[in-house]
Amino acid sequence: MATSVHASPQGAPPGHAVGEIIFRYACATAATILLAALAGVVISLFLGGLPAFHQFGLSFLTSTTWNPVTEIYGAAGPIVGTLITAFLSLMIALPLALGVSVFLVEFCPPRLSQPIAVAVELLAGIPSIVYGMWGLFVLAPWFAEHVQMPIALHADPDGWVGRFFGGTPNGANIFTASLILAIMILPYMAAVFRELFLTVPPQVREAAYGLGCTPFEVIKAVIVPYVRRGMIGVVMLGLGRALGETMAVTFIIGNAHGFPKGPFDSGSTIASTVANEFAEATGDLHTSALIALGFVLFVITFIVLAVARLLLREAKV
């Protein structure tokens, strides 16, 4: 006669059920700790920046004046610099990352695609400070000599070219900082795009080629629609990394708190401002202003991730 392996009459679960319960509670505990840590960070940033918000009100977000001597702080310059460098770097990196990933999946010989893919992944693991030092000692001097100086010598300073591409020809500006960010996020995006493209079943691609489609048509009509949701996630994660990058941007952006008048003008980001001044902030209001900048950066990143979730939801529909 068959015997039951379920709970005993007294309701005591068997051994494997006890382990399952422990596992579920352990996972719930991990999730709770994560949410508690996130809530703690948000509350700490808000409370730390509250004196600055109370002192300056809305002008903290709209003013470009940042003067520790007179204790007047406005975050508009770093906020605008953060958004410009992040989106400009994404515009530069996205088409290149797509091109690299399509080449590795569709056109590169099999014996070369794997070594190149490994090299791309290694580039994604290089510390950001290394990119910053390369930008400071190599990219900035080259850019100043071969791009900024010729424009400054030949462009009419009163014309739109001279005004838009003006700035101190030292290579430290918004555009070079965006280039560094683009180089940093490019390997990561290319590696993940490649993995996404490889998830497309080979039979689907072969069927499209069998119908007479060109490689461009296969990419456009078959592969991209198949992995569209994943691509949106990769783009938003790359943008999130560009928003929060610190040391590489600090080295090469010029660290000026005003509104940049053009791509070759010096600027600052929220992360670079905090990195530059937090160790030297002696006044309570100065410290509070820097913490308030951190809270603003958190809000911007949260908005970006929320937009990504909305886009993923629409892509799913």
Side-chain angles (χ1 to χ4, degrees), residues 138-162:
V138 178
L139 178 61
W142 181 91
F143 191 85
E145 180 180 356
H146 294 89
V147 178
Q148 287 189 277
M149 285 300 297
I151 292 178
L153 292 175
H154 298 93
D156 182 8
D158 296 327
W160 72 270
V161 175

Side-chain angles (χ1 to χ4, degrees), residues 147-308:
V147 178
Q148 287 189 277
M149 285 300 297
I151 292 178
L153 292 175
H154 298 93
D156 182 8
D158 296 327
W160 72 270
V161 175
R163 291 195 301 268
F164 186 72
F165 293 103
T168 306
N170 58 4
N173 51 63
I174 292 286
F175 186 77
T176 50
S178 301
L179 282 178
I180 291 295
L181 284 177
I183 294 172
M184 291 177 60
I185 66 177
L186 172 60
Y188 166 76
M189 296 178 65
V192 182
F193 277 145
R194 174 180 174 271
E195 296 299 327
L196 285 175
F197 293 162
L198 289 176
T199 62
V200 180
Q203 298 86 348
V204 176
R205 285 202 294 265
E206 292 170 1
Y209 283 121
L211 293 174
C213 294
T214 64
F216 176 77
E217 291 172 339
V218 172
I219 295 295
K220 178 183 177 182
V222 177
I223 295 181
V224 170
Y226 192 90
V227 298
R228 180 175 55 181
R229 295 186 67 232
M231 292 179 66
I232 294 174
V234 174
V235 170
M236 289 303 175
L237 288 176
L239 179 60
R241 181 179 180 185
L243 285 170
E245 182 51 48
T246 305
M247 295 310 301
V249 176
T250 304
F251 284 162
I252 201 171
I253 199 170
N255 299 303
H257 292 288
F259 280 128
K261 301 179 180 63
F264 295 168
D265 200 8
S266 298
S268 65
T269 65
I270 294 176
S272 67
T273 301
V274 174
N276 274 326
E277 301 188 15
F278 202 87
E280 302 175 358
T282 56
D284 294 337
L285 191 58
H286 192 183
T287 303
S288 177
L290 294 174
I291 296 175
L293 279 178
F295 179 77
V296 172
L297 180 60
F298 178 88
V299 172
I300 293 174
T301 307
F302 178 82
I303 292 174
V304 169
L305 295 178
V307 171

Side-chain angles (χ1 to χ4, degrees), residues 5-41:
V5 295
H6 297 289
S8 62
Q10 291 77 16
H16 69 87
V18 173
E20 184 69 19
I21 293 175
I22 294 175
F23 176 71
R24 290 182 180 182
Y25 275 107
C27 292
T29 302
T32 303
I33 292 175
L34 177 62
L35 292 177
L38 179 62
V41 170

